[in-house]
Amino acid sequence: MGRKERSQKEKELRRGDIIDAAERVFFSKGYENSSMDEVAKEAEFSKRTVYMYFSSKEQIYYEIMIRGYRLLIDMLEAGFEEKKPQNAVEELRCIFFSFFRFSQEHAAYFKAIMEYETRDSDQCAGLEDALVEECYQLGEQIFDYLSRALQKGIQERSLRKGLDSEKAALILWACTVGVFNTREKKKEYLRNYHSIDPEEFVTEAFDMMMHLIADKGETEHERKKNS
């Protein structure tokens, strides 16, 4: 390895060390309560060194979200490989529960992505266009899984004819995020006031969403359960 290659490798390692340190700080204290000084201290670099690699705390946050998106995509693809869904509803179930597993096993990344999803576009101002675009493209890749599964269901006639797959994907995504957040933040409320197990709440929510878009108002999973 030549001098130039070694120098580039060292820069990449240092850059990764800073992102690792920022994750520890942001995930423990919260993004809004964290500072670049704390990131530099955690990374054991000077603040000046950190700014050589990242122009702002926001830029590092986007790098963390990109890690989260990639991890989620890996989990979705692993779920498809493991479950090998045979139809659109099975694909949607695989997407839903892979995403749920991600929200539980990687809660900090899930929170970071959810905060990004609800941010105003103005908050991207000043960031590198390539960084913002990568976040956007990774998010769209996840959205495409939903949209394609819905299109497949319409073609199979397991989902309602005339269903707008793109609008339905947006609505399903919003509903899914709401369900996961309710399950996480209202566990005791679900148990104590409605006698609903939080895990059962997630499963029932998926069945209800599928019921609303199913061709005959009943999913295959529901038919098996009721038979």
Side-chain angles (χ1 to χ4, degrees), residues 108-163:
Y109 281 124
F110 174 77
K111 182 180 178 181
I113 289 173
M114 291 306 99
E115 287 177 352
Y116 166 68
E117 291 285 342
T118 56
R119 282 185 163 200
D120 293 332
S121 58
D122 290 345
Q123 292 177 287
C124 300
L127 291 172
E128 295 177 21
D129 289 343
L131 187 64
V132 176
E133 180 65 18
E134 185 171 5
C135 258
Y136 175 79
Q137 291 298 334
L138 289 169
E140 285 300 294
Q141 187 174 338
I142 295 167
F143 177 81
D144 285 345
Y145 283 116
L146 273 177
S147 185
R148 287 197 301 268
L150 288 165
Q151 289 171 8
K152 182 177 180 180
I154 295 167
Q155 292 168 357
E156 293 173 345
R157 298 185 179 179
S158 59
L159 301 182
R160 285 195 290 109
K161 182 180 179 181
L163 189 70

Side-chain angles (χ1 to χ4, degrees), residues 22 40 66 79 120 132 174 180 188 195 206 211:
I66 286 170
D120 293 332
V132 176
F180 293 169
E188 296 308 311
S195 301
F206 174 79
H211 176 88

Side-chain angles (χ1 to χ4, degrees), residues 3-84:
R3 181 180 299 177
K4 185 177 180 179
E5 288 79 8
R6 279 200 303 273
S7 176
Q8 183 61 33
K9 185 69 173 178
E10 288 172 2
K11 286 180 179 179
E12 290 173 3
L13 289 172
R14 188 168 293 184
R15 196 170 186 277
D17 288 342
I18 294 169
I19 298 173
D20 290 342
E23 281 189 358
R24 293 192 292 272
V25 174
F26 294 171
F27 291 172
S28 63
K29 298 191 65 176
Y31 172 75
E32 297 296 340
N33 298 321
S34 303
S35 68
M36 289 290 268
D37 285 319
E38 290 169 315
V39 171
K41 182 178 180 181
E42 180 67 25
E44 298 183 348
F45 293 134
S46 68
K47 190 175 178 180
R48 181 179 178 182
T49 298
V50 172
Y51 274 110
M52 286 174 60
Y53 292 89
F54 300 99
S55 61
S56 65
K57 186 175 73 167
E58 185 84 356
Q59 184 183 2
I60 303 177
Y61 188 75
Y62 267 70
E63 294 285 356
I64 291 171
M65 284 191 294
I66 286 170
R67 285 185 174 185
Y69 273 127
R70 288 174 176 164
L71 180 57
L72 174 54
I73 289 168
D74 286 344
M75 290 182 71
L76 287 170
E77 292 179 348
F80 282 129
E81 182 64 27
E82 178 186 354
K83 302 296 184 183
K84 294 182 171 52

Side-chain angles (χ1 to χ4, degrees), residues 1 41 74 82 84 87 89 101 153 189 216 218:
M1 184 183 293
K41 182 178 180 181
D74 286 344
E82 178 186 354
K84 294 182 171 52
N87 54 54
V89 174
R101 188 161 61 88
Y189 172 76
K216 300 187 186 306
E218 186 178 44

